[in-house]
Structure formats: structure tokens, C-alpha cells
């Protein structure tokens, strides 16, 4: 079984809809991250969490919110989706004291029409 | 703001050729990582380099960290179609536990 899982893998939605992307991990890592990947722009950090009570904004947090429900679960929400949020979304985890080496999920391809 | 620039952005070669891709910055990093991403999947960690001048080998892949810890290179010997993918470098600045990612080099190895 995969160590970091994401659901759904693909989603098509309409402008204005609320969307939740979910991430679960079995690696036992404290740190979890949400990135989006766009052609030509690379991976950009949306939010990160170092433990259940710690949530931090990344470089592009506007229009997004997150919830860390447990050590193993980190969800990303788009409150009112817009077309420029069409992208590949990745969840990642890392362990404390390991040079921040990251383990990525398989990604969610989100299309906002 | 720390930035990592990768070059070339695209590289298409024939099977058996050698290649080098570069990752450069004006900032110092406490460590630097290389990832490979295949279509439809998330990036997968290949290696972490920590010490200036460090060289690590992973089969036909050789990774080097610059002496000043501002740059890195990835050399592939006798490339194979299975090496095709997006190669990403990522630096850990050490102060806030976040990684800075380059935009990647998209490598295509043709049979």
C-alpha cells in the first residue's frame, strides 16, 4: 500500500463550488504539506503543518484553507473554486531531522470550469 | 527569497548518450535534494547532498553539491528510456524547514 494517499485522483468542478482534497499518510511523519504544480511554474507551497496544532501559510495560500484532523490526515479546501485553480495538487510528508526530505502522494488533477 | 534555477528546461537525447543538468542559486543551502517525477505521479526522492563538494552515485546517476553549497549537478551516464522524467532539485535553507524547488528539467530519452 502507498505511504501517502490522495483522494480524489481526478476532479472536474465548476466555478464557485467548494472542493475538498484529502491526504492520508502511514509514514508516521509529523510534517505535512500541500503543493500545486503548474506547467512552467514548478511546485509552489500552499500550506504546511508541523503538527496537529500547527498550520502555516505557504507562498500561495489565498483562496485555500486546510485542516489537520490528525497526525495522519491533512485536507485542502477550495472554498469557492475559480478556473485559475486548475492544477495538479500534491500532498507531501517529511520527518523531523531528515533534511526535510519529502515523500509525495500521487497527486490530484483538479479542473475548474 | 531563495531561488533555484535549473537548466536546461528541456532535454531530448538518444539512448546511450551522457547528459548533465544543473541547479544553481545565489543562496546557500544546508542541503539539496534531487527528485524524479514521472507522468501522472508525484516526485520521488533520488538523493540528498549535504556537504560542500560532496559526490553521490546512484547506479548511472552522479550527483554533486558545489563547494559553496549554492549549486548542484546531476550527470547521467548512458541514458536509458527509463530515465525519462522531470528532474527537480530542491534546497533546504535550514531556517524554516521548507524546501525551495526549482522548476525542473524535462528529460526525454529516445530509444
Amino acid at each position: 500500500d502507498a505511504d501517502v494517499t490522495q483522494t480524489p485522483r481526478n476532479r472536474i468542478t465548476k466555478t464557485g463550488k467548494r472542493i475538498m482534497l484529502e491526504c492520508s499518510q502511514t509514514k508516521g511523519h509529523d510534517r505535512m504539506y500541500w503543493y500545486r504544480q503548474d506547467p512552467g511554474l514548478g511546485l509552489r507551497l500552499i500550506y504546511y503543518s508541523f503538527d496537529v496544532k500547527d498550520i502555516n501559510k505557504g507562498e500561495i495560500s489565498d483562496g485555500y484553507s486546510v485542516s489537520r484532523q490528525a497526525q495522519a490526515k491533512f485536507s485542502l479546501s477550495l472554498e469557492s473554486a475559480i478556473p485559475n485553480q486548475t492544477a495538479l495538487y500534491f500532498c507531501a510528508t517529511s520527518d523531523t531531522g531528515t533534511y526535510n526530505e519529502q515523500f509525495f502522494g500521487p497527486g490530484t488533477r483538479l479542473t475548474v470550469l | 527569497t531563495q531561488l533555484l534555477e535549473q537548466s536546461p528546461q528541456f532535454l531530448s537525447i538518444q539512448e546511450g548518450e551522457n547528459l548533465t543538468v544543473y541547479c544553481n542559486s545565489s543562496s546557500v543551502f544546508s542541503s539539496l535534494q534531487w527528485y524524479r517525477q514521472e507522468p501522472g505521479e508525484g516526485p520521488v526522492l533520488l538523493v540528498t547532498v549535504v556537504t560542500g563538494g560532496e559526490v553521490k552515485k546512484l547506479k548511472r546517476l552522479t550527483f554533486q553539491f558545489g563547494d559553496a553549497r549554492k549549486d548542484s549537478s546531476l550527470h547521467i551516464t548512458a541514458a536509458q528510456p527509463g530515465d525519462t522524467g522531470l528532474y527537480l532539485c530542491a534546497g533546504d535553507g535550514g531556517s524554516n524547514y521548507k524546501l525551495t524547488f526549482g522548476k525542473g528539467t524535462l528529460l526525454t530519452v529516445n530509444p
Side-chain angles (χ1 to χ4, degrees):
Chain A
D1 289 338
D3 294 320
V4 183
T5 57
Q6 292 184 234
T7 56
R9 293 295 313 277
N10 290 282
R11 182 71 183 267
I12 300 173
T13 191
K14 294 182 180 180
T15 297
K17 294 291 187 181
R18 185 178 188 274
I19 296 297
M20 179 180 286
L21 309 183
E22 300 191 9
C23 176
S24 294
Q25 55 117 345
T26 59
K27 298 189 74 66
H29 291 168
D30 286 327
R31 301 176 184 177
M32 298 187 74
Y33 308 80
W34 276 104
Y35 294 90
R36 64 177 280 177
Q37 187 175 41
D38 300 273
L41 296 178
L43 280 164
R44 293 182 292 168
L45 183 63
I46 306 173
Y47 270 95
Y48 61 103
S49 169
F50 288 164
D51 64 42
V52 175
K53 297 181 180 179
D54 177 79
I55 301 289
N56 303 281
K57 292 182 178 181
E59 56 184 303
I60 54 161
S61 59
D62 287 350
Y64 302 95
S65 63
V66 292
S67 173
R68 184 83 183 265
Q69 301 96 322
Q71 186 206 35
K73 296 185 181 294
F74 194 34
S75 300
L76 176 72
S77 293
L78 287 67
E79 298 302 327
S80 180
I82 56 177
N84 77 1
Q85 292 177 313
T86 293
L88 264 174
Y89 289 85
F90 289 102
C91 174
T93 73
S94 71
D95 199 7
T96 306
T98 58
Y99 305 110
N100 212 13
E101 295 166 340
Q102 311 228 325
F103 297 85
F104 286 84
T108 294
R109 181 172 295 280
L110 177 66
T111 302
V112 184
L113 301 176
Chain B
T1 301
Q2 296 177 314
L3 295 174
L4 278 168
E5 294 193 7
Q6 292 190 242
S7 61
Q9 187 176 358
F10 301 96
L11 186 57
S12 180
I13 61 171
Q14 295 299 122
E15 183 176 1
E17 293 183 4
N18 301 332
L19 67 113
T20 302
V21 298
Y22 300 93
C23 176
N24 295 299
S25 178
S26 59
S27 303
V28 175
F29 292 96
S30 60
S31 68
L32 197 136
Q33 298 157 26
W34 285 92
Y35 295 80
R36 179 168 65 209
Q37 182 179 13
E38 299 185 19
E41 299 180 10
V44 175
L45 178 67
L46 296 174
V47 76
T48 300
V49 286
V50 179
T51 305
E54 182 176 5
V55 177
K56 281 192 174 179
K57 292 189 176 183
L58 185 66
K59 297 184 180 178
R60 294 173 295 98
L61 279 61
T62 301
F63 305 86
Q64 184 162 9
F65 202 12
D67 291 341
R69 291 186 288 131
K70 293 182 179 181
D71 54 83
S72 182
S73 63
L74 159 60
H75 182 79
I76 301 179
T77 303
Q80 300 178 0
D83 295 326
T84 292
L86 179 67
Y87 288 82
L88 296 162
C89 66
D92 182 351
S95 62
N96 56 13
Y97 311 107
K98 295 183 294 180
L99 291 182
T100 298
F101 280 88
K103 295 180 180 179
T105 293
L106 185 60
L107 172 65
T108 303
V109 182
N110 302 296

